[in-house]
């Protein structure tokens, strides 16, 4: 599997959308920028609306709200997960990753450039807070 790596320190949302729609980081970033969405925008770090709008721009349907994470087994076949959830100056922050079941095998696509492998199966280390379900046709 070819995992799209974020090209900016704060580009995990753009990279996650790229990993869901199967396009390059540059292509998704260009579309996002044309929509007024920029990785450098501080509000991206604590708002799910931007990534939802970008997914819808590509015709990808997603759940209307964040769903609390219960277990890896309970996730849909594709989901956008919030990991590394924390607060800074009273605002929630997180890192976006994509969960997929590929032929029944679970894997997390993590766009972070510093990782040795961007296909993760170290599920116990990730501790998601919540997820957004993804429906792909």
């Amino acid at each position: 599997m070819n995992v799209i790596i974020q090209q900016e320190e704060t580009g995990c949302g753009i990279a996650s959308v790229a990993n869901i729609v199967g396009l390059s980081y540059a292509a998704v970033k260009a579309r996002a920028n044309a929509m007024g969405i920029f990785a450098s925008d501080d509000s991206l770090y604590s708002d799910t609306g931007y990534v939802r709008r970008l997914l819808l721009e590509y015709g990808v349907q997603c759940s209307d709200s964040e769903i609390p994470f219960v277990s890896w087994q309970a996730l849909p076949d594709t989901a956008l997960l919030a990991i590394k959830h924390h607060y800074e100056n009273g605002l929630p922050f997180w890192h976006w990753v994509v969960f997929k079941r590929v032929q029944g095998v679970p894997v997390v696509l993590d766009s972070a450039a510093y990782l040795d492998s961007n296909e993760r199966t170290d599920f116990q280390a990730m501790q998601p807070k919540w997820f957004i379900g993804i429906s792909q046709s």
Side-chain angles (χ1 to χ4, degrees):
M1 186 173 307
N2 185 27
V3 181
I4 305 301
I5 306 303
Q6 63 195 70
Q7 301 299 310
E8 300 159 279
E9 185 178 347
T10 55
C12 59
I14 291 171
S16 290
V17 171
N19 278 309
I20 290 169
V21 301
L23 295 173
S24 71
Y25 184 89
V28 175
K29 178 183 175 181
R31 174 86 59 97
N33 290 173
M35 296 171 62
I37 299 171
F38 299 91
S40 60
D41 183 350
D42 287 351
S43 59
L44 246 59
Y45 310 149
S46 58
D47 185 346
T48 63
Y50 297 94
V51 75
R52 290 175 196 279
R53 280 184 38 229
L54 191 52
L55 285 166
L56 287 172
E57 183 75 11
Y58 286 102
V60 176
Q61 299 297 312
C62 56
S63 58
D64 292 332
S65 60
E66 296 80 44
I67 302 163
F69 178 85
V70 176
S71 72
W72 294 101
Q73 296 78 17
L75 289 172
D77 286 342
T78 305
L80 194 55
L81 293 174
I83 66 170
K84 298 184 179 181
H85 192 277
H86 64 284
Y87 287 87
E88 292 181 17
N89 298 320
L91 292 175
F93 284 73
W94 57 83
H95 175 61
W96 289 116
V97 295
V98 177
F99 172 84
K100 285 191 173 203
R101 274 193 198 85
V102 181
Q103 298 178 339
V105 178
V107 64
V108 169
L109 311 180
D110 190 334
S111 64
Y114 60 82
L115 294 172
D116 291 334
S117 174
N118 297 94
E119 291 181 40
R120 296 181 62 180
T121 55
D122 58 332
F123 301 111
Q124 72 288 347
M126 289 182 260
Q127 303 177 348
K129 175 88 169 164
W130 44 260
F131 70 93
I132 296 173
I134 303 295
S135 300
Q136 292 182 287
S137 42

